[in-house]
Amino acid sequence: MSGRAATTRRFRAHLIALLALLLALPSFAAVAAPATPVVSPMASPGATPQAGAAVPWWRSGVCYEVFVRSFFDSNGDGVGDLDGLIEKLDYLNDGDPKTTTDLGVTCLWLMPIMQAESDHGYDVTDYFKVERDYGTNADFRRLMPEAHKRGIRIIIDLVLNHTSDQNPWFIDAASNPQSPYRDWYIFSKTDPGYAGPWGEQVWHPLPNGQGFYYGIFDKSMPDLNYRDPAVTAEMKKVAQYWLTTMDADGFRLDAVKHLIEDGQVQENTPETLAWLKDYGGYVRQVKPDSFTVGEVSGATTDTLEQYEPDLLDEYFHFVFAQQTLNAAQIGIGRPWSQVLGGAVDRLPDERFATFLTNHDQTRTGTALNGNVDAEKMAAFLLLTAPGTPFIYYGEEIGMMGTKPDPRIRTPMQWSGGPGGGFTTGTPWEPPQADWRTRTVAAQRADPASLWHTYQQLVTLRVANPALNGGTYAPLQANSVNVVAFTRTAPGQQVLVIANLGRTPTGNLTITGAQSGLASGHYSLRDLLSGKEAGTLDVGADGSVTKVMRASQLLDHSGVVLSLEPD
């Protein structure tokens, strides 16, 4: 049988198994999907939404990370740009819930778009201008209403920790001890002699040989000195400009754990936390419905507890990301469930951001060895779990890539034609070797593709309150390969079950002493197919004790079941 036929048969078998899986489980009241996945109103900043209260838009949506340089080139110069992003907005969300040719995401994170010295953009030379390769400030102001009318919010990368060494502030400060910018950076007459957190050189000699300056990431990116109030004041002007004049919806804040050092203590200092609390409050004051999400690289729940609850809105949970990949690859769910459960229990209101990989890491497709079943499983876990999910551009088609950095930020593979559908010219970075076959065009034409899995799961999450803002309660299964949990919102409860293993499960026993479900008898409905899927009883104490008897739950498959009270 051909590969396409085999994949299609397997896809249909999975759907059949989803329905077979429906015999006796917990309780949930399903609601019809909203007519349109619109942008939700913002709840009070920092508050835990009460029953019936509006869920913040950034908690109820799905975000998509875009490297503008690699997304779509509108003018044939080989570099992606803002005009190209505008052309591709309908791919991300066309604003029409009846169509299935868009992903349905409701939020974009744009990697740095401010004027910078390098291709990556994390060495800013002018915080008030759009990178010339991408267009103009007017182009960005044209982008925002186009995104908003499609139900898409846009947050932009804000690089606070450092600037470029070619930034006029640093050029003046480094050459002139009397410069008004001298205290904006960190200088020393002698080399303090200590290394950075990962053993790197952090003290770099000045070009004139008259001392040293501090730069935790590289000599080309000197750190700003936030002990000088003038630096904080300037960065507040930057935030205000992008939130008001440019109408951005918020910020992804880069490298926030390194903002203020205390000698050799170079991350997560009390001064950093106090500064972020003030800055996050300022951003919310300027634009109350804005979203701030911080990068605390390598963050565990223990680390993130220091940053909660009233500094930024959310932070990326790096350990969750790694455990999601591990679960999809190895097939054992307990470590993933433990990390997720700990985050839910200890981080208020489930305010953390989830992802699989990002622009600094080996791509998901490579990390999972191109195993499409494992990639689908990772997507399923990401898009049904609590937290605000982020998808790295190209992840929805399984784009490959490993270090160095330009090779994990290669042009989007739109089609197998000239330029990969990305450009009519020569791309700024050569595409991956599989650019002719692993494309958006090919996968949108294949209903069993990874792209369709992402599209269905994103649509499902955005349309269902229990998935996009509901509370979480873990359940237990009699198989190490199975994870099960409930998501509950006012008016809706769902049960999520996933078989991470490489073999069908056969019969399952699902139990839970604290399921979060009201007692009663329920009918089950598969939210993907809309078909009835059996019944379930929940005890008076909310416990789930029924045995689910399914013909089998296929390997690398999952179901989302809504429970409707009889």
Side-chain angles (χ1 to χ4, degrees), residues 30-40 60 95-98 106 458-468 490-492 525 527:
V31 223
T36 307
V38 296
V39 177
S40 303
S60 62
D96 182 353
K98 297 187 296 295
T106 58
V458 169
T459 301
L460 190 71
R461 184 184 183 96
V462 170
N464 286 275
L467 287 177
N468 65 47
Q492 186 183 34
R525 183 168 60 89
L527 282 178

Side-chain angles (χ1 to χ4, degrees), residues 81-83 86 110 112-116 124 126-145 154 156 237-238 240-248:
D81 46 48
L82 293 178
D83 281 346
I86 292 171
L110 304 186
I113 60 167
M114 299 169 189
Q115 186 66 56
V124 178
D126 191 334
Y127 283 91
F128 296 93
K129 286 186 179 178
V130 164
E131 164 59 44
R132 63 178 66 89
D133 288 347
Y134 295 167
T136 66
N137 287 26
D139 293 330
F140 186 86
R141 287 194 292 269
R142 187 165 62 88
L143 166 68
M144 292 307 303
I154 294 181
I156 62 172
K237 290 179 184 176
V238 170
Q240 183 180 45
Y241 177 77
W242 285 95
L243 292 171
T244 57
T245 302
M246 303 294 275
D247 201 27

